[in-house]
Amino acid sequence: MVREALRLEREAVARYSEHPAASSDPRLVTYWESLRRNEAEHRRLLEAWLRARGEDPDRDAPAAQILGAGAPDADEGATDMAANAKDPGGVGRHPLPPAAAGIRGHATEVAALRADYDFEDEAVAIYGHFAYRAEDHELMELFKELARGEAGHRNGLRRTLRTVEDPATPVILFCPLCGWQIDFGADPAEGTEGKCPVCPGRFALRPDESGDWTLERLAP
Ligand SMILES: [Fe+2]
Ligand SMILES: [Fe+2]
């Protein structure tokens, strides 16, 4: 169970390293980075638990995962572990309602957040079940604590999705020229222009074919 949990945490760290790298929204980048740190701490706790019992945390793990590069699709391991979570004793799942229609400009981020939500929802169930199965008291407490953390991730992701899907939330993107933040206001139309507050960058919002905002550079 500890090795399964460690695999889950390594997948979580990979997931929350990839998602912020692909985002242009400073608020989402910050949140994903906080999740990455938290999952790295979970990983550390599990590695410490193994080391304290004379076990090598990296035994049997694929090299790519140890290095944190080229990790397999984060959903693969989670699917394997879903089988465990379905045993009696697991805590219930809380699926999200279907995606709200008409969200403009954030298609990839919304899809990533929804997948993250499902991943965390499954992790809560898995850790609930592991805690139930653990015979060692300290290990049971560790799994319970991890379940609390993942439940917080799930709830935070639900809130974040609500905010991203709310048309009243302003569209704020990194300036492609200097990395500062450009505010395009709430519910902006295609072609809305924004000026970077700290550099000469001027941009117009354009949706791309995947449904994400891109920034078209305008003459200064
Ligand atoms: Fe975790
Ligand atoms: Fe998590």
Side-chain angles (χ1 to χ4, degrees), residues 11 15 71-78:
E11 286 170 6
R15 162 179 290 267
D73 182 350
D75 289 325
E76 279 178 1

Side-chain angles (χ1 to χ4, degrees), residues 90-123:
V91 290
R93 300 285 307 271
H94 299 82
L96 280 175
I103 306 308
R104 275 187 312 177
H106 298 288
T108 301
E109 285 157 337
V110 166
L113 289 166
R114 293 183 74 89
D116 293 342
Y117 178 95
D118 290 341
F119 176 83
E120 298 294 347
D121 189 37
E122 189 158 284

Side-chain angles (χ1 to χ4, degrees), residues 12-24:
V13 172
R15 162 179 290 267
Y16 297 129
S17 306
E18 286 161 20
H19 290 176
S23 175
S24 309

Side-chain angles (χ1 to χ4, degrees), residues 100-204:
I103 306 308
R104 275 187 312 177
H106 298 288
T108 301
E109 285 157 337
V110 166
L113 289 166
R114 293 183 74 89
D116 293 342
Y117 178 95
D118 290 341
F119 176 83
E120 298 294 347
D121 189 37
E122 189 158 284
V124 176
I126 289 166
Y127 284 135
H129 183 60
F130 281 8
Y132 176 80
R133 276 173 56 198
E135 283 163 14
D136 179 284
H137 181 76
E138 195 188 329
L139 185 57
M140 183 189 73
E141 289 301 327
L142 174 55
F143 285 141
K144 280 188 186 173
E145 191 72 352
L146 294 174
R148 290 180 194 115
E150 313 305 2
H153 298 170
R154 180 185 64 194
N155 298 341
L157 286 159
R158 192 196 293 114
R159 282 191 189 205
T160 301
L161 270 161
R162 239 184 256 141
T163 304
V164 173
E165 293 179 348
D166 182 353
T169 302
V171 170
I172 299 175
L173 300 172
F174 288 122
C175 172
L177 188 56
C178 78
W180 197 260
Q181 301 177 11
I182 307 180
D183 187 343
F184 291 89
D187 203 17
E190 176 178 351
T192 295
E193 295 184 11
K195 157 102 184 64
C196 178
V198 302
C199 88
R202 283 181 62 240
F203 302 88

